Amino acid sequence: MDYVFAGYRVVIADDGLVSMSECMTDVVGADSYNWEMFFTDRALAEQACPSSGQLFAVGFPREDVPALLADFEKFEPIGAAGMPDRLLAGEPMPCGDVLGCELVGWDSGPSVWHTWACLGGLVDDVRDVTGVVPGEHGLIQDVEQARLAARWLTASELGDPKVFLWVPALLVRPAG
């Protein structure tokens, strides 16, 4: 699967939870106003990462980028900060330890990324209909299964009114 680099995410989570969602983790902002929550520069992300934090490279499937950009534009593009430009640039994902995919969706209201684990019962709903379940780190290990789950979750409209489009975010711990 061809993933496009969205940026580096620095998060602080209890109990070693792996998630890029503001609902599940504390996210370290990449700018002084905390509008931009993704770092474009790995060195700056590493400097901002506290000892209790985690650093991930995050990417989205290339074929989902047009729908994701339309979702940003439909609502509040400023909340997505620099991500549309990075997605349009189409950079490949950096190398590293692939942790898996997290089903996420953009909520322009408070400008946050929700995960399927934060909106009551969605993990169970997806499992019951598609058979897709989270594995290690609470992430979906198979990319095609993650895409299947995201498509079904979007079509089901179970995330409304917070999320209208669900996509699998690939989380990678950068090498070195």
Side-chain angles (χ1 to χ4, degrees):
M1 179 62 60
D2 187 15
Y3 275 75
V4 173
F5 178 62
Y8 293 101
R9 190 84 151 163
V10 175
V11 301
I12 304 166
D14 294 332
D15 302 325
L17 173 72
V18 175
S19 176
M20 65 164 267
S21 171
E22 292 93 333
C23 295
M24 307 294 282
T25 62
D26 290 326
V27 178
V28 177
D31 68 11
S32 59
Y33 298 107
N34 283 332
W35 288 348
E36 175 61 85
M37 302 307 281
F38 285 79
F39 290 81
T40 56
D41 181 88
R42 179 178 171 180
L44 291 176
E46 287 172 340
Q47 288 174 359
C49 190
S51 60
S52 61
Q54 300 175 61
L55 171 65
F56 308 116
V58 178
F60 296 106
R62 186 173 302 278
E63 64 187 56
D64 288 344
V65 167
L68 194 52
L69 291 172
D71 200 45
F72 291 153
E73 282 300 315
K74 195 175 3 176
F75 299 105
E76 184 185 346
I78 189 65
M83 186 179 295
D85 292 336
R86 285 191 301 279
L87 294 176
L88 284 170
E91 287 183 48
M93 286 291 290
C95 294
D97 180 24
V98 175
L99 300 174
C101 292
E102 179 175 30
L103 300 184
V104 297
W106 174 249
D107 180 354
S108 66
S111 295
V112 300
W113 287 95
H114 288 290
T115 176
W116 65 326
C118 75
L119 297 179
L122 293 183
V123 173
D124 292 336
D125 292 334
V126 169
R127 180 199 62 231
D128 292 347
V129 175
T130 67
V132 175
V133 296
E136 188 177 4
H137 307 296
L139 304 174
I140 301 170
Q141 300 305 305
D142 180 270
V143 171
E144 288 305 320
Q145 290 290 301
R147 292 200 33 79
L148 168 73
R151 284 191 303 265
W152 179 83
L153 197 50
T154 297
S156 75
E157 298 182 350
L158 290 175
D160 288 354
K162 293 183 179 293
V163 174
F164 299 99
L165 173 70
W166 291 92
V167 293
L170 184 67
L171 303 182
V172 174
R173 187 166 289 126

